Amino acid sequence: MRVPVKLVFFMSRATSLARWHERGMWPRETAIYRHLSQQLIGLSILTPGDKRDQHFNPSENITILNNPRRTSANIYSLTALWRHRHALRRADLYKTNQMDGAWTAVLAGLVYRKPVIVRAGYLWAKYELDLNGDSVRYRIYRALSAFSFRYATHIFLTTAQMKTEVVKSYGIPAKKITIMPNYVDTTMFRSLPGVATVPGRIVFVGRLNDVKNLDLLIEGMAQARSDLHGVFAGSGELKPELKALAQRRGIDVEFLGNQPNDKLPEIVNSASVFALVSKFEGHPKVLIEAMACKVPVLGSRVPGIKEIINDGENGRLCEPDPADIAKILDEMMADSSQREMLAQNGYLYSTDAFGLNHLVQSEIERYVQLTNKL
């Protein structure tokens, strides 16, 4: 029996289903909505994408509300309320993907008197502040975030640290916030016995940008005594610089570019160590996916990562410093029994805490509470 809730999911302001597909993220990002579509009586996805997004509908039980006139993302974030008014009126509940564009759902909730869940996988304004300081863009992001948090019916945040930040910085009551972490699809991200671990292979998956500290990772690999090489899956503006750095430091790094999501488990399974030494993170899905693949992980001791990795138990933490990265990598490479222990504990932690089926049921329970549907 399906749960009597009709949900409209609002994608981010400028992110379409087609863009998710181009980046190889479509299966991973839509997995939860495929599951929800089997359990709710109605599910629609409101996307800024044009008619191409109809081809990337994740389920026959989902209705795509798209942007056929290719209106600019900023304008569409407001006009979508009128264009899709019939579907929005029929819905019981709205939910957003991220803070960027959350105001569309919040405004729709005010206009059509529907409950709204604002979800944030990372704090949009804080991300801008950490990168560029107290800029005009930061102040705009903060004002939009404050509006969305204030007028949301409920808020989903991925970590307890983010909840503390929102309560303190935006004055939001704690009872209005639920911790709803990122999920891992364990049918896809799992140990693959047919994929051999490649000795000395350090794998990274993500954007090749400044936040990820990949220059420090390459320097750390170069300083390590162990024989290491890298496999980096992802694209970004720093690719030429990182390739040049690896060549200068004599480190073999294979840059794979964006990879389809169904190829990532094989890439991750081949790693001796999965590394994520970012400056900061929200709740990094790639890290828990690597854990679910039973691969030992190394992360920087920074917000978003240190909340997932318990150093020496389910992974290793390092300072965002090449010397410390080298030291920890050498320790991990020298002790295969430690790597096996970390991999096993990481697997148990990720699948217990972040399994998709468990989190879907938790979301549905909150939907029922907010809509008074029995």
Side-chain angles (χ1 to χ4, degrees), residues 9 32 47 85 188 230 297 319 336 341:
F9 167 61
I32 189 170
T47 165
R85 60 192 180 280
M188 178 175 290
V297 299
E319 299 303 323
S336 60
M341 179 271 291

Side-chain angles (χ1 to χ4, degrees), residues 210-269:
D210 183 60
V211 173
K212 302 302 182 182
N213 271 341
L214 292 172
D215 55 339
L216 301 188
L217 178 58
I218 292 171
E219 287 284 358
M221 292 168 62
Q223 292 180 25
R225 298 186 304 273
S226 308
D227 185 12
L228 303 175
H229 66 277
V231 173
F232 294 180
S235 62
E237 63 274 13
L238 293 185
K239 181 178 178 179
E241 294 178 32
L242 295 170
K243 287 184 72 173
L245 174 61
Q247 290 173 354
R248 287 198 309 271
R249 301 296 283 131
I251 293 295
D252 179 20
V253 178
E254 185 177 4
F255 291 87
L256 301 180
N258 288 333
Q259 294 293 303
N261 204 58
D262 58 1
K263 299 293 185 184
L264 292 180
E266 181 177 348
I267 295 168
V268 173
N269 268 265

Side-chain angles (χ1 to χ4, degrees), residues 2 5 47 87 105 118 147 149 170 182 192 196-197 234 238 265 271 274 284 299 304 315:
R2 292 177 184 263
V5 172
T47 165
V118 165
F147 169 79
F149 284 141
Y170 293 93
N182 283 327
L192 300 175
T197 299
L238 293 185
F274 180 90

Side-chain angles (χ1 to χ4, degrees), residues 7-32:
L7 173 72
V8 176
F9 167 61
F10 288 68
M11 296 189 67
S12 299
R13 175 184 55 88
T15 301
S16 64
L17 290 168
R19 188 176 182 187
W20 270 349
H21 187 268
E22 289 165 3
R23 291 185 173 182
M25 300 164 58
W26 180 85
R28 171 208 219 182
E29 297 295 335
T30 58
I32 189 170

Side-chain angles (χ1 to χ4, degrees), residues 140-155:
I140 292 172
Y141 289 0
R142 181 173 173 82
L144 290 170
S145 297
F147 169 79
S148 298
F149 284 141
R150 178 180 178 184
Y151 290 104
T153 311
H154 202 74
I155 299 166

Side-chain angles (χ1 to χ4, degrees), residues 29 63 168-169 197 212 235 260 303 314 327 340 352 374:
E29 297 295 335
T63 300
K168 180 180 178 180
S169 297
T197 299
K212 302 302 182 182
S235 62
N314 62 2
K327 174 178 174 290
E340 290 174 8
D352 286 348
L374 301 177

